[in-house]
Structure formats: structure tokens, C-alpha cells
Amino acid sequence: MSLPRKRLPAAERRESILAAAAEVFGTHGYAAATTDAIAQRAGISQALAIRTFGSKEALFIATAERVVDRVAEAFRAAIAGAGDRERMEPRLGEAYVRLAEDRGSLVTLLHLFTLGHDPAIGPVAREGFLRIYTILRDEAGLPAARATAFLANGMLVSTIFGLELPTQADDVAVSELLQAAFRENTALVLELFG
Amino acid sequence: MSLPRKRLPAAERRESILAAAAEVFGTHGYAAATTDAIAQRAGISQALAIRTFGSKEALFIATAERVVDRVAEAFRAAIAGAGDRERMEPRLGEAYVRLAEDRGSLVTLLHLFTLGHDPAIGPVAREGFLRIYTILRDEAGLPAARATAFLANGMLVSTIFGLELPTQADDVAVSELLQAAFRENTALVLELFG
DNA sequence: CTTCTAAGTAATCATTGACTTACAACCGGT
DNA sequence: ACCGGTTGTAAGTCAATGATTACTTAGAAG
């Protein structure tokens, strides 16, 4: 049982651990997630998961930064793909929701943003949040009110995932809410949760 | 040292533990909060905090339900106080922000909404979230799009508290964001974080 | 003044989970 | 072929923490 797994170069191993970590941190949050669960999902021993990043905290920070980077990339791609500056929000919105294909990412983000009090993670959280806001302002060209409203809807979207509300889409109030929050992406979201 | 504290009737003791719990859960989240920290803030022994509610999980659920109840009450009061149905959001928004005076409440709510996966807490979280949405829809009379946008802004507000962003209000991007998210309540918020 | 119960504590248990250490196996270069 | 660094695991250590237990005491009621 569980004999030595296939050897991977460090960079690939890191990446596979980060993907597993996003899922587990997204489901359980920073404190409740165990490094053992992350290691199991990555198919390696717990010791290796820790040694690769040095500590659980460092692993979480790396995971969080990877998620923020992905959001930034997705928004930049959406901005570059937009011919004009009109109807920017729907494009950005779809890009955001598609990140949910990466299981755990969006909820990991939500967890990150609850950790402002933590001396090591708090600064990372604030920096990541402001980086995203700044992209909306300066690169997408949204005025403050629209950037904030978009961000607010993004937090609601992540909250809906965190609540696992899409599993109750048969409830009439829930389906109305999902429709209002996700608009043209509602079907996509329900598919991801089928 | 720490000889027996003043005795309180059970109901009062419960209440004081719940207030302490909201602060500690709001700061650290469900998993990272320790029952010992809650007990210390309430000025009692850890054993009593646990015994009064049976378990940490039961204590968290009681705390969460108390916070949701307070939000519901605050919204109902705001709705009753509104002469007409116009400009409902600013009234509700102020009521929401004022709940931050109860330290920890709003961030506890945010933590609650990340716990959808938990078999015991998840249902409580979804029920609380939908209860608030339903009040906005059916009692405040907001159409789905406006109720959702208001809810989204509420999540952003809680996120800003979770990030402890108001402590960095001197940053120009932060102050712009705070202004856009809090509107006429910005000064109130900054005062609460002074 | 005695009793009885509710409210409280200190001490300890059992579990869990992050991290360490010692060792095994795989490979590339000389 | 062999040797050193890299990749990996198994088996532990140690601290933290939720829960339990056995005990104490305040204070109301008779």
C-alpha cells in the first residue's frame, strides 16, 4: 500500500500540491483544513506537502497568491478581449465565474478575505484584494461606483458557492437569487454543480 | 487567583457568553477560535462555556442564530421606520452597518456563510442567508435585482471588515473603495475603527 | 441555621494535527 | 559502476484544545 509514488520534478510537484490545497482550503478554510487532507488529495505523504512549502501557513499563502494571480490573469484576458469599453461587467463576470471550474479557488479567496487579523496572512489578503480592485479601476476603466458594485457581486458569488446554495436550486427563492446574481452565467454555474 | 466570579442566572450568563463568542468567532472564525479564548473574554472558565451550550459547535450555532436574528430585527425596524417604500436601501444599509457596533457580529456572519459544507452548520447557514434575503424581498418589497444588489453590497461590507481594511484608510485606493461601499455611513465606520 | 440546588472551578484526559527525523529509492554525471 | 543530490515515505514528537470529571461554594427556601 501507498508505496513510493512517481517522482516528479519539484516545480510540477509544487503545482499539484497547490491545486489540491485550493480544493481543501476552499472547502474547509485555513484553520480547519489539514495538511494531511491536502497531501492525500495530491497523492503524496503529509511530510512532503509540508516540506515542500515549509509550513502550512506558507502553503496557504502560496495557494492564495496563486488564486489571486489567476483572477488577475482572467480579468486581464477579458479586458484585452473586449473590443470597446462597453458592457465590461458581463465579460468580467463570466471570466470570474469560469474560475469556479478550478474547484475551490473562489471560496479560498473568500476564506482569505476573512483573515485580515492574521499577522502573516492579513497583509497578503489586503494586497490581493486591492490588486483586484485596482485592475477593475485602472485596467478595465470602471469608475469607483461600478468597480465597487462589481466587486460586491463577486463577493456574493463566492458566498453563494461557500454556502453551497446551488445544491438547492429547486427552492424557488434560491433559484430567483441565483438568477439575479449570476445572470447569463446561471446555467454554467448549475452545470458545474450538477 | 481567578477565584469564583460573580454568579449569574443562566440566562444572563448565556447572553454574556454569546456576546464574547461573537467577538472571538468574528476575529478568528469557527475552527480557529478556541473555547478558552471565548471563556476568558466572558470572564469565566472554559469548562463553563462548554457546559452551558454542550459543545463548541452548539455554541457557534447559537451565536450565528443570534447574529442573524439581530440582522432580521434591525431590518424590520428600518422597514417599519420608513414612511414610504422609496430610498429603502440607504435605511437598510445604515441599519446593517450599525450592527458593527456589536463587535464581531458582521464578520461572524461572513464566517458562517463559508461553512456550507459542514453537515451541522451548513443548513443553519443557508437558512439564515435565505431568511435575510426573504425579508428584503417580501418585507422591504425590493424586487429581486435590487434585493440581490443590496445583499451583494452587504457581503462586500462584511468582507471589508474581515480584511480590516478600515485600518488602512489613508491609502488612496482604500479610501475611495470605502467611500463607494459605505456611502453616507463612511464616517461612522471609520469612527468604529478609530 | 440547615439544606439543597445552581453556578462555578481546577485538573486531567484523549485526540488531533503540525512539524521533524531517519531512512529508502531513484537518477544524472563522471 | 558508483556517488551525491533530489524525491519520497514511515514513524515519531510535541503542543494545543475540546470535552469530562470531581469537587467547591453562593445563596435562596424552609
Side-chain angles (χ1 to χ4, degrees):
Chain A
M1 42 220 59
S2 77
L3 293 167
R5 267 76 170 193
K6 200 168 64 173
R7 289 167 74 96
L8 289 185
E12 285 177 40
R13 186 58 82 197
R14 269 183 74 94
E15 183 58 27
S16 99
I17 295 173
L18 287 174
E23 287 188 55
V24 176
F25 282 134
T27 305
H28 297 95
Y30 172 56
T34 67
T35 56
D36 192 60
I38 293 169
Q40 270 183 247
R41 180 149 314 207
I44 57 169
S45 67
Q46 184 261 0
L48 182 55
I50 283 295
R51 207 182 45 193
T52 303
F53 291 88
S55 68
K56 181 189 184 183
E57 183 178 82
L59 170 56
F60 181 76
I61 289 175
T63 305
E65 281 176 341
R66 178 167 164 279
V67 171
V68 172
D69 285 347
R70 293 204 166 189
V71 173
E73 284 167 26
F75 281 174
R76 291 207 167 102
I79 292 165
D84 53 18
R85 297 265 117 161
E86 296 307 306
R87 303 222 359 111
M88 189 58 90
E89 284 93 335
R91 288 175 173 278
L92 293 168
E94 183 181 339
Y96 188 73
V97 167
R98 283 205 179 281
L99 289 169
E101 289 168 2
D102 236 300
R103 285 299 270 246
S105 296
L106 298 191
V107 187
T108 295
L109 210 56
L110 191 58
H111 282 289
L112 174 66
F113 294 159
T114 65
L115 293 173
H117 81 101
D118 185 287
I121 301 176
V124 174
R126 286 183 284 275
E127 186 275 332
F129 186 82
L130 289 176
R131 204 157 102 220
I132 292 172
Y133 177 71
T134 304
I135 290 175
L136 295 174
R137 277 293 329 259
D138 300 347
E139 302 187 32
L142 296 179
R146 274 170 66 189
T148 303
F150 179 81
L151 210 51
N153 202 69
M155 297 316 304
L156 177 62
V157 163
S158 288
T159 302
I160 287 171
F161 286 137
L163 277 169
E164 301 189 352
L165 267 191
T167 62
Q168 318 219 330
D170 50 325
D171 180 303
V172 52
V174 171
S175 80
E176 182 186 270
L177 175 60
L178 294 180
Q179 176 62 39
F182 291 111
R183 309 259 181 169
E184 61 279 348
N185 301 310
T186 311
L188 171 61
V189 167
L190 291 177
E191 188 187 329
L192 287 176
F193 271 79
Chain B
M1 39 218 55
S2 80
L3 294 167
R5 268 75 168 193
K6 198 167 64 170
R7 288 169 164 245
L8 290 184
E12 284 175 42
R13 188 55 85 197
R14 270 183 72 94
E15 183 58 26
S16 100
I17 295 173
L18 287 174
E23 287 188 56
V24 176
F25 283 133
T27 304
H28 297 95
Y30 172 56
T34 66
T35 55
D36 192 60
I38 293 169
Q40 270 182 247
R41 179 148 317 208
I44 57 170
S45 66
Q46 182 260 359
L48 182 55
I50 283 295
R51 211 185 40 191
T52 302
F53 291 88
S55 68
K56 181 189 185 186
E57 184 178 82
L59 170 55
F60 181 76
I61 289 175
T63 305
E65 281 176 342
R66 178 167 164 278
V67 172
V68 172
D69 286 347
R70 293 203 168 192
V71 173
E73 283 167 27
F75 282 175
R76 292 208 168 101
I79 292 165
D84 52 19
R85 296 266 116 159
E86 297 306 306
R87 304 220 357 111
M88 190 57 90
E89 283 94 336
R91 289 176 172 278
L92 294 168
E94 182 182 340
Y96 189 71
V97 167
R98 284 206 178 278
L99 289 170
E101 288 167 3
D102 235 301
R103 285 301 266 249
S105 297
L106 297 190
V107 188
T108 295
L109 210 56
L110 191 57
H111 282 289
L112 174 66
F113 294 159
T114 65
L115 294 173
H117 80 100
D118 187 287
I121 301 175
V124 175
R126 286 184 284 275
E127 185 274 334
F129 186 82
L130 289 176
R131 205 158 99 219
I132 292 172
Y133 177 71
T134 304
I135 290 175
L136 296 174
R137 277 290 333 257
D138 300 346
E139 302 187 30
L142 296 180
R146 274 171 68 190
T148 303
F150 179 81
L151 210 50
N153 202 69
M155 297 316 304
L156 178 62
V157 162
S158 289
T159 302
I160 287 171
F161 286 137
L163 277 170
E164 300 189 354
L165 266 191
T167 62
Q168 318 220 330
D170 48 326
D171 179 303
V172 51
V174 171
S175 82
E176 182 187 271
L177 176 60
L178 294 180
Q179 177 62 39
F182 290 110
R183 311 264 181 164
E184 61 279 349
N185 300 311
T186 310
L188 171 61
V189 168
L190 291 176
E191 187 188 329
L192 288 176
F193 271 78

